[in-house]
Amino acid sequence: MIKNLEAEDRLKTLIDMAFAEDLGTGDLATQVIFPESRKAEAYLIAKADGVISGLEIAKMVLEHFGPLEDFTPHVKDGDRVTKGQKILDFRGDYAHLLSSERIMLNFLQRMSGIATATRHYVDLLSGTRTRILDTRKTLPGHRYTDKMAVLHGGGMNHRMGLYDMCLLKDNHITVSGGVRQAIEAARAGLPVSVKIEIETETLPQVKEALDAGADIIMLDNMDIPTMRRAVEMISGRAKTEASGNITSDNIAQIARETGVDFISSGALTHSVKALDISMKFTKTSDLQTK
């Protein structure tokens, strides 16, 4: 799932920062309770129903101090779990596991919360042709993990950042002097391989965007009848994306009644409710001190 060395390096940097802010000069409680290194076995258990995301990140966190002796997941990223279900068994140095616990759970709980919310939207869209997209409304520094979790939930990633797609929004349009002018400026200044999406709020803007050759036309904060007319007007000549005021109460209706290609929702990542997951140690009477 970690697609390249650059992404892996970013994740390692993020994890190092997490340890720096949490561990500081040392884990005081663990140092006094476990002055000598000893082995321990632990597991993760779901305390609520949801979708798991972040097992790869959890392993990277747990191996921050060195390799684990065992790491045995019982589910895969993207799998549904039920309350009380065991997620993962692992074995390593007792002190290291304790010092890694909160950081590991912070990643895993947030990512699983995003995956769970995404799967809920995906399920609501079942039976339609519409796909759910994320946005750039992610926790600073956690863009990659937030978007990874959306994929695990069955959603699709929109652009990763400002650099990998051209999305012309209202302020770009205002400065350019109009929808057509913004698209023409983008076409003139970008390689032909770069997709151009533009935000529209009215049907005249939709027609202007279509005539100017936009690849994707965002239908921003339109009501359902207006979106339906916009999709009919576009008639497959550009991809369509509904955005703005998307909720679990209206997403299925929007998909069914408009036929848009995509619906984007910032709530997938900016309003996430973490999935409750707990780490427990097994009995340690038989564990040997090094």
Side-chain angles (χ1 to χ4, degrees):
M1 186 65 197
I2 300 172
K3 296 179 180 179
N4 53 56
L5 290 176
E6 181 184 359
E8 187 172 350
D9 287 342
R10 288 184 182 181
L11 289 171
K12 287 178 179 177
T13 299
L14 182 60
I15 290 168
D16 287 344
M17 290 174 61
F19 273 100
E21 70 179 1
D22 198 36
L23 199 61
T25 56
D27 180 348
L28 300 180
T30 300
Q31 287 173 354
V32 296
I33 299 299
F34 301 104
E36 295 182 357
S37 182
R38 56 189 299 189
K39 299 296 181 181
E41 295 174 354
Y43 61 92
L44 299 183
I45 187 168
K47 299 184 73 176
D49 297 348
V51 176
I52 292 299
S53 175
L55 290 173
E56 287 180 280
I57 313 303
K59 189 171 190 289
M60 291 176 69
V61 171
L62 290 170
E63 291 186 333
H64 178 78
F65 297 104
L68 294 167
E69 292 193 1
D70 178 61
F71 184 88
T72 305
H74 300 292
V75 297
K76 304 184 300 297
D77 284 326
D79 283 353
R80 294 183 190 269
V81 294
T82 57
K83 182 178 180 179
Q85 183 174 345
K86 185 183 281 192
I87 299 167
L88 170 69
D89 282 303
F90 49 98
R91 176 182 169 91
D93 182 272
Y94 210 148
H96 291 169
L97 297 184
L98 279 171
S99 296
S100 304
E101 177 182 5
R102 176 42 51 198
I103 295 170
M104 172 190 62
L105 289 175
N106 282 348
F107 278 104
L108 196 61
Q109 289 177 315
R110 176 178 174 82
M111 292 179 69
S112 296
I114 292 171
T116 300
T118 303
R119 184 67 56 81
H120 176 59
Y121 277 21
V122 168
D123 289 344
L124 290 172
L125 292 174
S126 178
T128 75
R129 60 186 294 273
T130 305
R131 300 293 303 276
I132 187 74
L133 292 173
D134 56 23
T135 70
R136 288 167 46 243
K137 296 176 182 179
T138 55
L139 185 67
H142 290 255
R143 175 71 53 81
Y144 191 86
T145 53
D146 281 4
K147 285 181 171 284
M148 182 189 294
V150 169
L151 292 180
H152 290 154
M156 294 181 66
N157 292 154
H158 203 274
R159 55 182 177 164
M160 185 61 70
L162 297 173
Y163 55 88
D164 60 340
M165 180 182 173
C166 177
L167 173 51
L168 303 169
K169 297 178 72 66
D170 54 350
N171 288 329
H172 300 111
I173 295 167
T174 299
V175 171
S176 299
V179 168
R180 175 181 288 278
Q181 293 93 323
I183 294 173
E184 288 176 349
R187 285 284 181 220
L190 293 170
V192 295
S193 59
V194 176
K195 297 286 186 183
I196 295 176
E197 178 174 3
I198 192 158
E199 179 182 281
T200 63
E201 298 177 343
T202 66
L203 291 176
Q205 284 187 328
V206 170
K207 185 178 186 305
E208 194 175 354
L210 189 62
D211 291 343
D215 298 298
I216 307 168
I217 299 176
M218 180 188 293
L219 312 176
D220 188 47
N221 285 301
M222 294 182 183
D223 59 32
I224 288 178
T226 305
M227 277 193 281
R228 185 189 306 117
R229 289 163 62 195
V231 172
E232 291 170 353
M233 181 190 303
I234 294 165
S235 188
R237 288 177 286 171
K239 295 294 185 182
T240 54
E241 175 189 337
S243 180
N245 297 314
I246 307 298
T247 69
S248 59
D249 293 329
N250 65 16
I251 189 171
Q253 182 184 9
I254 291 170
R256 287 194 308 268
E257 297 187 15
T258 70
V260 290
D261 296 295
F262 306 108
I263 294 177
S264 59
S265 173
L268 296 180
T269 52
H270 74 57
S271 301
V272 59
K273 178 182 178 182
L275 184 67
D276 196 359
I277 299 171
S278 183
M279 173 175 147
K280 301 291 185 183
F281 284 99
T282 60
K283 292 182 180 180
T284 59
S285 58
D286 59 339
L287 299 178
Q288 296 180 353
T289 302
K290 285 184 181 176

